[in-house]
Short mmCIF file of all heavy atoms in Angstrom, two decimals:
data_model
loop_
_atom_site.label_atom_id
_atom_site.label_comp_id
_atom_site.label_asym_id
_atom_site.label_seq_id
_atom_site.Cartn_x
_atom_site.Cartn_y
_atom_site.Cartn_z
N ASN L 35 -8.58 36.31 -54.27
CA ASN L 35 -9.42 35.93 -55.41
C ASN L 35 -8.93 36.51 -56.73
O ASN L 35 -9.50 36.25 -57.77
CB ASN L 35 -10.87 36.37 -55.17
CG ASN L 35 -11.46 35.67 -53.96
OD1 ASN L 35 -11.17 34.51 -53.69
ND2 ASN L 35 -12.29 36.38 -53.21
N SER L 36 -7.86 37.31 -56.69
CA SER L 36 -7.34 37.90 -57.92
C SER L 36 -6.69 36.81 -58.76
O SER L 36 -6.01 35.94 -58.23
CB SER L 36 -6.28 38.96 -57.62
OG SER L 36 -6.83 40.03 -56.91
N PRO L 37 -6.87 36.88 -60.07
CA PRO L 37 -6.18 35.90 -60.91
C PRO L 37 -4.68 36.19 -60.92
O PRO L 37 -4.25 37.32 -60.74
CB PRO L 37 -6.79 36.12 -62.29
CG PRO L 37 -7.34 37.50 -62.26
CD PRO L 37 -7.70 37.79 -60.83
N LEU L 38 -3.90 35.16 -61.13
CA LEU L 38 -2.46 35.30 -61.20
C LEU L 38 -2.11 36.13 -62.42
O LEU L 38 -2.66 35.93 -63.51
CB LEU L 38 -1.83 33.90 -61.30
CG LEU L 38 -0.36 33.78 -61.02
CD1 LEU L 38 -0.01 34.30 -59.64
CD2 LEU L 38 0.05 32.32 -61.13
N ALA L 39 -1.23 37.09 -62.24
CA ALA L 39 -0.87 37.99 -63.34
C ALA L 39 0.56 38.49 -63.15
O ALA L 39 1.12 38.41 -62.07
CB ALA L 39 -1.84 39.17 -63.38
N VAL L 40 1.11 39.02 -64.23
CA VAL L 40 2.40 39.68 -64.18
C VAL L 40 2.14 41.17 -64.08
O VAL L 40 1.35 41.73 -64.84
CB VAL L 40 3.25 39.37 -65.44
CG1 VAL L 40 4.54 40.16 -65.44
CG2 VAL L 40 3.54 37.87 -65.52
N ILE L 41 2.81 41.80 -63.10
CA ILE L 41 2.69 43.25 -62.93
C ILE L 41 4.06 43.87 -63.17
O ILE L 41 5.08 43.20 -63.09
CB ILE L 41 2.17 43.61 -61.52
CG1 ILE L 41 3.11 43.06 -60.43
CG2 ILE L 41 0.75 43.10 -61.33
CD1 ILE L 41 2.77 43.53 -59.03
N GLU L 42 4.08 45.15 -63.48
CA GLU L 42 5.33 45.87 -63.67
C GLU L 42 5.49 46.84 -62.52
O GLU L 42 4.56 47.53 -62.14
CB GLU L 42 5.30 46.63 -64.99
CG GLU L 42 5.15 45.74 -66.19
CD GLU L 42 6.35 45.74 -67.11
OE1 GLU L 42 7.26 46.55 -66.91
OE2 GLU L 42 6.36 44.92 -68.03
N ALA L 43 6.69 46.87 -61.95
CA ALA L 43 7.02 47.82 -60.89
C ALA L 43 8.50 48.12 -60.99
O ALA L 43 9.32 47.22 -61.16
CB ALA L 43 6.68 47.23 -59.52
N ASP L 44 8.84 49.39 -60.90
CA ASP L 44 10.24 49.81 -60.92
C ASP L 44 10.99 49.29 -62.15
O ASP L 44 12.18 48.98 -62.08
CB ASP L 44 10.97 49.37 -59.65
CG ASP L 44 10.28 49.84 -58.39
OD1 ASP L 44 9.77 50.99 -58.40
OD2 ASP L 44 10.25 49.09 -57.40
N GLY L 45 10.28 49.14 -63.27
CA GLY L 45 10.91 48.68 -64.49
C GLY L 45 11.16 47.19 -64.58
O GLY L 45 11.87 46.74 -65.47
N HIS L 46 10.61 46.42 -63.64
CA HIS L 46 10.80 44.97 -63.63
C HIS L 46 9.44 44.27 -63.62
O HIS L 46 8.42 44.87 -63.30
CB HIS L 46 11.60 44.54 -62.38
CG HIS L 46 12.94 45.17 -62.32
ND1 HIS L 46 13.23 46.19 -61.45
CD2 HIS L 46 14.07 44.95 -63.04
CE1 HIS L 46 14.48 46.56 -61.62
NE2 HIS L 46 15.01 45.83 -62.58
N LYS L 47 9.46 42.98 -63.95
CA LYS L 47 8.23 42.19 -63.99
C LYS L 47 8.15 41.29 -62.75
O LYS L 47 9.14 40.67 -62.36
CB LYS L 47 8.18 41.33 -65.25
CG LYS L 47 8.12 42.15 -66.53
CD LYS L 47 8.02 41.27 -67.75
CE LYS L 47 9.34 40.56 -67.96
NZ LYS L 47 9.41 39.77 -69.17
N TYR L 48 6.95 41.24 -62.17
CA TYR L 48 6.72 40.46 -60.96
C TYR L 48 5.38 39.73 -61.06
O TYR L 48 4.44 40.23 -61.68
CB TYR L 48 6.65 41.38 -59.73
CG TYR L 48 7.90 42.16 -59.49
CD1 TYR L 48 8.05 43.44 -60.02
CD2 TYR L 48 8.95 41.63 -58.74
CE1 TYR L 48 9.21 44.17 -59.80
CE2 TYR L 48 10.11 42.36 -58.51
CZ TYR L 48 10.23 43.62 -59.05
OH TYR L 48 11.37 44.34 -58.83
N ALA L 49 5.32 38.58 -60.40
CA ALA L 49 4.02 37.92 -60.21
C ALA L 49 3.29 38.68 -59.11
O ALA L 49 3.92 39.19 -58.18
CB ALA L 49 4.22 36.46 -59.81
N ASN L 50 1.99 38.77 -59.19
CA ASN L 50 1.21 39.55 -58.23
C ASN L 50 0.92 38.77 -56.94
O ASN L 50 -0.20 38.77 -56.42
CB ASN L 50 -0.09 40.05 -58.86
CG ASN L 50 -1.03 38.93 -59.27
OD1 ASN L 50 -0.58 37.83 -59.59
ND2 ASN L 50 -2.33 39.19 -59.25
N VAL L 51 1.93 38.11 -56.43
CA VAL L 51 1.84 37.40 -55.15
C VAL L 51 3.09 37.73 -54.34
O VAL L 51 4.10 38.13 -54.89
CB VAL L 51 1.73 35.87 -55.32
CG1 VAL L 51 0.41 35.48 -55.97
CG2 VAL L 51 2.89 35.32 -56.13
N ASP L 52 2.99 37.57 -53.04
CA ASP L 52 4.12 37.81 -52.14
C ASP L 52 4.60 36.47 -51.61
O ASP L 52 3.94 35.85 -50.79
CB ASP L 52 3.67 38.71 -50.99
CG ASP L 52 4.78 38.97 -49.98
OD1 ASP L 52 5.93 38.54 -50.22
OD2 ASP L 52 4.49 39.60 -48.96
N THR L 53 5.75 36.02 -52.08
CA THR L 53 6.27 34.72 -51.66
C THR L 53 7.22 34.82 -50.48
O THR L 53 7.92 33.87 -50.16
CB THR L 53 6.99 34.03 -52.84
OG1 THR L 53 8.01 34.91 -53.33
CG2 THR L 53 6.01 33.67 -53.95
N THR L 54 7.23 35.97 -49.82
CA THR L 54 8.13 36.15 -48.68
C THR L 54 7.43 36.02 -47.34
O THR L 54 8.05 36.27 -46.30
CB THR L 54 8.85 37.53 -48.76
OG1 THR L 54 7.88 38.57 -48.64
CG2 THR L 54 9.63 37.64 -50.05
N THR L 55 6.15 35.63 -47.36
CA THR L 55 5.41 35.40 -46.12
C THR L 55 4.66 34.08 -46.25
O THR L 55 4.27 33.68 -47.37
CB THR L 55 4.39 36.51 -45.83
OG1 THR L 55 3.35 36.47 -46.82
CG2 THR L 55 5.04 37.89 -45.81
N PRO L 56 4.41 33.39 -45.15
CA PRO L 56 3.61 32.16 -45.23
C PRO L 56 2.22 32.39 -45.83
O PRO L 56 1.75 31.58 -46.62
CB PRO L 56 3.52 31.70 -43.77
CG PRO L 56 4.78 32.23 -43.15
CD PRO L 56 4.98 33.58 -43.80
N ARG L 57 1.57 33.50 -45.48
CA ARG L 57 0.25 33.79 -46.06
C ARG L 57 0.35 33.98 -47.57
O ARG L 57 -0.44 33.46 -48.34
CB ARG L 57 -0.36 35.04 -45.43
CG ARG L 57 -1.74 35.34 -46.00
CD ARG L 57 -2.28 36.70 -45.51
NE ARG L 57 -3.53 37.00 -46.18
CZ ARG L 57 -3.63 37.46 -47.43
NH1 ARG L 57 -2.55 37.66 -48.15
NH2 ARG L 57 -4.80 37.72 -47.97
N GLY L 58 1.37 34.73 -48.01
CA GLY L 58 1.56 34.95 -49.44
C GLY L 58 1.86 33.67 -50.19
O GLY L 58 1.40 33.46 -51.31
N ILE L 59 2.61 32.78 -49.56
CA ILE L 59 2.90 31.48 -50.17
C ILE L 59 1.62 30.67 -50.31
O ILE L 59 1.40 30.01 -51.34
CB ILE L 59 3.97 30.73 -49.37
CG1 ILE L 59 5.32 31.45 -49.50
CG2 ILE L 59 4.10 29.27 -49.83
CD1 ILE L 59 6.40 30.96 -48.56
N ALA L 60 0.75 30.72 -49.31
CA ALA L 60 -0.53 30.02 -49.39
C ALA L 60 -1.37 30.56 -50.54
O ALA L 60 -2.00 29.79 -51.28
CB ALA L 60 -1.28 30.13 -48.06
N VAL L 61 -1.37 31.88 -50.72
CA VAL L 61 -2.10 32.49 -51.84
C VAL L 61 -1.48 32.03 -53.16
O VAL L 61 -2.19 31.63 -54.09
CB VAL L 61 -2.10 34.03 -51.74
CG1 VAL L 61 -2.64 34.66 -53.02
CG2 VAL L 61 -2.90 34.50 -50.53
N ALA L 62 -0.15 32.04 -53.24
CA ALA L 62 0.54 31.60 -54.46
C ALA L 62 0.20 30.15 -54.79
O ALA L 62 -0.01 29.80 -55.96
CB ALA L 62 2.06 31.77 -54.30
N LYS L 63 0.11 29.31 -53.77
CA LYS L 63 -0.24 27.90 -53.99
C LYS L 63 -1.67 27.79 -54.50
O LYS L 63 -1.94 27.04 -55.44
CB LYS L 63 -0.08 27.10 -52.71
CG LYS L 63 -0.38 25.63 -52.91
CD LYS L 63 -0.12 24.81 -51.69
CE LYS L 63 -0.43 23.36 -52.02
NZ LYS L 63 -0.01 22.46 -50.98
#
Side-chain angles (χ1 to χ4, degrees):
N35 297 325
S36 297
L38 196 57
V40 175
I41 59 172
E42 298 245 353
D44 305 322
H46 301 106
K47 296 182 290 185
Y48 300 93
N50 63 331
V51 293
D52 178 6
T53 56
T54 64
T55 67
R57 181 188 175 282
I59 292 169
V61 170
K63 182 175 181 171

